[in-house]
Amino acid sequence: YEVFTKNYVNAGFLAIQLFVQSSTWDARVGHLQNAEAHLGFAHRKVMSKRKGETKDGADVPDATAAVAHDAISGEGTLGDVNEAGATEIKRNLETVRIQRAVCEAMPTEMPQNAVLFGDLPAQCEVAELLMVNGHFKLAQKVMDFLDLPAVELCIRASNQIATQQARYPTGSIAPVVKFLQAIPKLPPVEWDSLVSNVVNIWIIEKEELKADRSAASQLVPFIQDERC
Protein backbone atom coordinates (compact mmCIF):
# COMPACT_ATOMS: atom_id res chain seq x y z
CA TYR A 1 0.00 0.00 0.00
CA GLU A 2 2.79 2.43 0.92
CA VAL A 3 4.48 1.79 -2.42
CA PHE A 4 1.25 2.16 -4.37
CA THR A 5 0.65 5.53 -2.70
CA LYS A 6 4.28 6.46 -3.52
CA ASN A 7 5.10 6.98 0.16
CA TYR A 8 8.56 5.48 -0.16
CA VAL A 9 9.75 6.66 3.25
CA ASN A 10 7.03 4.76 5.08
CA ALA A 11 7.54 1.81 2.74
CA GLY A 12 11.22 1.75 3.71
CA PHE A 13 10.49 1.94 7.42
CA LEU A 14 7.86 -0.79 7.10
CA ALA A 15 10.45 -3.03 5.44
CA ILE A 16 12.79 -2.35 8.39
CA GLN A 17 10.04 -3.39 10.82
CA LEU A 18 9.48 -6.59 8.83
CA PHE A 19 13.22 -7.28 8.92
CA VAL A 20 13.28 -6.98 12.71
CA GLN A 21 10.29 -9.31 13.05
CA SER A 22 11.49 -11.94 10.56
CA SER A 23 13.32 -15.05 11.72
CA THR A 24 14.72 -16.55 8.51
CA TRP A 25 17.85 -15.25 6.80
CA ASP A 26 16.31 -15.07 3.33
CA ALA A 27 13.34 -13.07 4.56
CA ARG A 28 15.50 -10.70 6.60
CA VAL A 29 17.85 -9.94 3.72
CA GLY A 30 14.89 -9.55 1.37
CA HIS A 31 13.28 -6.96 3.65
CA LEU A 32 16.58 -5.09 3.89
CA GLN A 33 16.86 -5.05 0.11
CA ASN A 34 13.35 -3.61 -0.08
CA ALA A 35 14.15 -1.01 2.58
CA GLU A 36 17.31 0.02 0.73
CA ALA A 37 15.40 0.36 -2.54
CA HIS A 38 12.57 2.43 -1.03
CA LEU A 39 14.75 4.71 1.09
CA GLY A 40 17.25 5.08 -1.74
CA PHE A 41 14.50 6.25 -4.07
CA ALA A 42 13.12 8.59 -1.41
CA HIS A 43 16.55 10.08 -0.76
CA ARG A 44 17.20 10.67 -4.45
CA LYS A 45 13.80 12.30 -4.79
CA VAL A 46 14.41 14.59 -1.82
CA MET A 47 17.86 15.59 -2.99
CA SER A 48 16.56 16.29 -6.49
CA LYS A 49 13.80 18.45 -5.05
CA ARG A 50 16.16 20.29 -2.72
CA LYS A 51 18.56 21.05 -5.57
CA GLY A 52 15.66 22.39 -7.60
CA GLU A 53 14.54 24.64 -4.76
CA THR A 54 18.08 25.91 -4.28
CA LYS A 55 18.34 26.84 -7.92
CA ASP A 56 15.03 28.68 -7.68
CA GLY A 57 16.26 30.62 -4.65
CA ALA A 58 13.74 29.06 -2.27
CA ASP A 59 14.55 28.12 1.32
CA VAL A 60 15.38 24.47 1.89
CA PRO A 61 13.81 23.05 5.07
CA ASP A 62 16.09 21.39 7.60
CA ALA A 63 15.87 17.63 8.14
CA THR A 64 13.97 16.64 11.25
CA ALA A 65 14.24 13.36 13.12
CA ALA A 66 10.75 13.82 14.58
CA VAL A 67 8.99 13.35 11.26
CA ALA A 68 11.04 10.26 10.50
CA HIS A 69 10.17 8.85 13.92
CA ASP A 70 6.49 9.42 13.17
CA ALA A 71 6.94 7.52 9.95
CA ILE A 72 8.41 4.53 11.80
CA SER A 73 5.77 4.53 14.51
CA GLY A 74 2.85 5.21 12.22
CA GLU A 75 1.92 8.35 14.15
CA GLY A 76 2.58 10.75 11.28
CA THR A 77 1.28 11.14 7.77
CA LEU A 78 3.75 11.69 5.00
CA GLY A 79 2.20 12.84 1.81
CA ASP A 80 5.52 14.11 0.48
CA VAL A 81 8.85 12.47 1.23
CA ASN A 82 10.44 15.93 1.56
CA GLU A 83 8.89 16.24 5.00
CA ALA A 84 11.02 13.42 6.40
CA GLY A 85 14.22 15.33 5.73
CA ALA A 86 17.10 14.27 3.55
CA THR A 87 19.51 13.87 6.46
CA GLU A 88 17.33 11.45 8.39
CA ILE A 89 16.49 9.42 5.30
CA LYS A 90 20.17 9.19 4.38
CA ARG A 91 21.13 8.00 7.87
CA ASN A 92 18.47 5.30 7.87
CA LEU A 93 19.54 4.27 4.38
CA GLU A 94 23.16 3.87 5.51
CA THR A 95 22.02 1.89 8.57
CA VAL A 96 20.12 -0.47 6.28
CA ARG A 97 23.20 -0.96 4.10
CA ILE A 98 25.45 -1.71 7.05
CA GLN A 99 22.86 -4.07 8.56
CA ARG A 100 22.67 -5.92 5.27
CA ALA A 101 26.47 -6.28 5.26
CA VAL A 102 26.25 -7.70 8.79
CA CYS A 103 23.64 -10.26 7.75
CA GLU A 104 25.72 -11.32 4.76
CA ALA A 105 28.90 -11.58 6.85
CA MET A 106 27.24 -13.60 9.62
CA PRO A 107 24.19 -15.39 8.17
CA THR A 108 23.73 -17.79 11.11
CA GLU A 109 25.90 -16.60 14.01
CA MET A 110 24.12 -13.32 14.77
CA PRO A 111 21.14 -13.55 17.20
CA GLN A 112 17.86 -12.27 15.79
CA ASN A 113 17.56 -9.51 18.39
CA ALA A 114 21.09 -8.22 17.75
CA VAL A 115 20.29 -5.54 15.17
CA LEU A 116 21.47 -2.03 14.41
CA PHE A 117 17.87 -0.78 14.64
CA GLY A 118 17.65 -1.86 18.27
CA ASP A 119 18.75 -0.17 21.48
CA LEU A 120 22.35 0.48 22.49
CA PRO A 121 22.96 -2.99 24.02
CA ALA A 122 21.74 -4.63 20.80
CA GLN A 123 23.98 -2.43 18.67
CA CYS A 124 26.95 -3.15 20.91
CA GLU A 125 26.29 -6.89 20.67
CA VAL A 126 26.44 -6.66 16.88
CA ALA A 127 29.84 -4.93 16.95
CA GLU A 128 31.22 -7.30 19.59
CA LEU A 129 30.14 -10.45 17.75
CA LEU A 130 31.58 -9.12 14.51
CA MET A 131 34.97 -8.74 16.19
CA VAL A 132 34.79 -12.14 17.89
CA ASN A 133 34.10 -13.73 14.50
CA GLY A 134 36.93 -11.89 12.77
CA HIS A 135 34.98 -9.22 10.85
CA PHE A 136 37.12 -6.37 12.15
CA LYS A 137 36.61 -3.78 9.41
CA LEU A 138 32.85 -4.17 9.48
CA ALA A 139 32.84 -3.98 13.28
CA GLN A 140 34.85 -0.76 13.11
CA LYS A 141 32.39 0.64 10.58
CA VAL A 142 29.48 -0.15 12.91
CA MET A 143 31.21 1.43 15.91
CA ASP A 144 32.17 4.56 13.99
CA PHE A 145 28.76 5.04 12.37
CA LEU A 146 26.77 4.53 15.57
CA ASP A 147 29.38 6.12 17.84
CA LEU A 148 29.57 3.04 20.07
CA PRO A 149 32.01 2.70 23.02
CA ALA A 150 34.96 1.22 21.12
CA VAL A 151 37.24 0.70 24.12
CA GLU A 152 34.64 -1.25 26.07
CA LEU A 153 33.66 -3.37 23.08
CA CYS A 154 37.25 -4.19 22.13
CA ILE A 155 37.96 -5.28 25.70
CA ARG A 156 34.87 -7.46 25.80
CA ALA A 157 35.64 -9.04 22.43
CA SER A 158 39.31 -9.67 23.29
CA ASN A 159 38.35 -11.31 26.58
CA GLN A 160 35.88 -13.57 24.82
CA ILE A 161 38.35 -14.60 22.11
CA ALA A 162 41.16 -15.28 24.60
CA THR A 163 38.89 -17.26 26.93
CA GLN A 164 37.42 -19.40 24.15
CA GLN A 165 40.78 -20.26 22.67
CA ALA A 166 42.55 -20.86 25.97
CA ARG A 167 39.90 -23.20 27.35
CA TYR A 168 40.04 -25.62 24.44
CA PRO A 169 42.94 -28.11 24.40
CA THR A 170 43.26 -27.49 20.66
CA GLY A 171 42.80 -23.73 21.01
CA SER A 172 45.35 -21.40 19.43
CA ILE A 173 46.86 -18.06 20.36
CA ALA A 174 46.65 -17.08 16.67
CA PRO A 175 43.10 -15.60 16.79
CA VAL A 176 44.15 -13.41 19.74
CA VAL A 177 47.22 -12.20 17.86
CA LYS A 178 45.12 -11.57 14.76
CA PHE A 179 42.67 -9.53 16.84
CA LEU A 180 45.43 -7.34 18.28
CA GLN A 181 46.90 -6.80 14.82
CA ALA A 182 43.56 -5.93 13.23
CA ILE A 183 41.82 -3.57 15.63
CA PRO A 184 42.76 0.12 15.65
CA LYS A 185 45.11 1.09 18.47
CA LEU A 186 43.27 2.36 21.53
CA PRO A 187 44.62 5.10 23.81
CA PRO A 188 47.92 3.82 25.36
CA VAL A 189 46.58 3.11 28.85
CA GLU A 190 43.47 1.29 27.60
CA TRP A 191 45.51 -0.60 24.99
CA ASP A 192 48.03 -1.94 27.49
CA SER A 193 45.23 -2.81 29.88
CA LEU A 194 43.52 -4.82 27.12
CA VAL A 195 46.70 -6.70 26.17
CA SER A 196 47.68 -7.38 29.78
CA ASN A 197 44.20 -8.70 30.45
CA VAL A 198 44.25 -11.23 27.59
CA VAL A 199 47.73 -12.36 28.67
CA ASN A 200 46.41 -13.01 32.17
CA ILE A 201 43.34 -14.78 30.82
CA TRP A 202 45.48 -17.10 28.71
CA ILE A 203 47.82 -17.95 31.59
CA ILE A 204 45.02 -18.54 34.13
CA GLU A 205 42.93 -20.69 31.79
CA LYS A 206 45.95 -22.80 30.77
CA GLU A 207 46.98 -23.26 34.41
CA GLU A 208 43.53 -24.60 35.22
CA LEU A 209 43.89 -27.08 32.37
CA LYS A 210 47.47 -27.85 33.47
CA ALA A 211 48.48 -27.05 29.90
CA ASP A 212 51.39 -25.20 28.35
CA ARG A 213 50.92 -21.46 28.80
CA SER A 214 54.05 -20.31 26.96
CA ALA A 215 52.07 -19.10 23.93
CA ALA A 216 51.16 -16.04 26.00
CA SER A 217 54.66 -14.74 25.32
CA GLN A 218 53.52 -13.97 21.75
CA LEU A 219 51.23 -11.29 23.16
CA VAL A 220 53.84 -9.47 25.25
CA PRO A 221 55.33 -7.50 22.30
CA PHE A 222 51.97 -5.79 21.87
CA ILE A 223 52.35 -4.05 25.25
CA GLN A 224 53.55 -0.49 24.74
CA ASP A 225 54.57 0.39 28.28
CA GLU A 226 57.29 -1.94 29.55
CA ARG A 227 56.20 -1.35 33.14
CA CYS A 228 52.95 -3.28 32.57
Side-chain angles (χ1 to χ4, degrees):
Y1 172 79
E2 302 291 359
V3 177
F4 292 144
T5 59
K6 296 185 178 181
N7 195 332
Y8 293 100
V9 176
N10 269 344
F13 290 146
L14 176 60
I16 291 173
Q17 286 183 327
L18 292 174
F19 156 76
V20 173
Q21 296 169 1
S22 297
S23 58
T24 65
W25 185 85
D26 288 342
R28 286 164 71 84
V29 172
H31 291 312
L32 288 175
Q33 290 174 334
N34 290 336
E36 183 176 355
H38 297 320
L39 293 177
F41 182 86
H43 183 255
R44 290 191 297 272
K45 182 176 178 182
V46 171
M47 294 306 295
S48 177
K49 179 68 174 177
R50 286 164 68 96
K51 289 178 181 178
E53 290 175 346
T54 302
K55 291 179 180 179
D56 295 338
D59 292 334
V60 179
D62 293 333
T64 58
V67 179
H69 176 270
D70 289 344
I72 297 176
S73 62
E75 298 170 0
T77 57
L78 295 179
D80 189 335
V81 294
N82 283 326
E83 299 177 22
T87 302
E88 189 67 18
I89 295 174
K90 183 178 181 180
R91 181 169 180 81
N92 280 281
L93 176 59
E94 183 61 20
T95 305
V96 167
R97 288 170 175 164
I98 298 175
Q99 179 65 72
R100 181 180 170 186
V102 171
C103 289
E104 292 173 347
M106 297 182 59
T108 58
E109 300 89 345
M110 191 69 67
Q112 182 180 347
N113 61 346
V115 295
L116 302 183
F117 304 102
D119 54 14
L120 180 60
Q123 295 171 345
C124 288
E125 185 177 5
V126 172
E128 181 180 349
L129 288 175
L130 284 171
M131 285 190 284
V132 169
N133 286 273
H135 303 288
F136 304 114
K137 290 184 178 180
L138 185 54
Q140 187 64 45
K141 188 173 185 178
V142 169
M143 291 188 290
D144 290 343
F145 182 71
L146 297 175
D147 194 24
L148 300 179
V151 173
E152 176 186 343
L153 292 176
C154 286
I155 291 174
R156 282 164 44 179
S158 64
N159 290 352
Q160 188 171 340
I161 295 171
T163 301
Q164 288 177 346
Q165 293 298 323
R167 284 182 178 176
Y168 295 123
T170 58
S172 170
I173 198 73
V176 184
V177 173
K178 183 179 179 181
F179 174 86
L180 296 176
Q181 292 173 334
I183 64 170
K185 290 293 186 294
L186 305 176
V189 174
E190 286 82 357
W191 175 262
D192 283 347
S193 175
L194 183 154
V195 178
S196 299
N197 198 41
V198 294
V199 170
N200 291 332
I201 289 175
W202 189 271
I203 292 174
I204 292 172
E205 293 292 342
K206 288 301 183 183
E207 284 182 344
E208 290 186 0
L209 294 174
K210 293 181 172 54
D212 181 17
R213 62 183 189 179
S214 62
S217 62
Q218 298 180 42
L219 306 177
V220 175
F222 288 97
I223 297 177
Q224 298 177 358
D225 190 337
E226 296 178 355
R227 295 173 295 179
C228 291

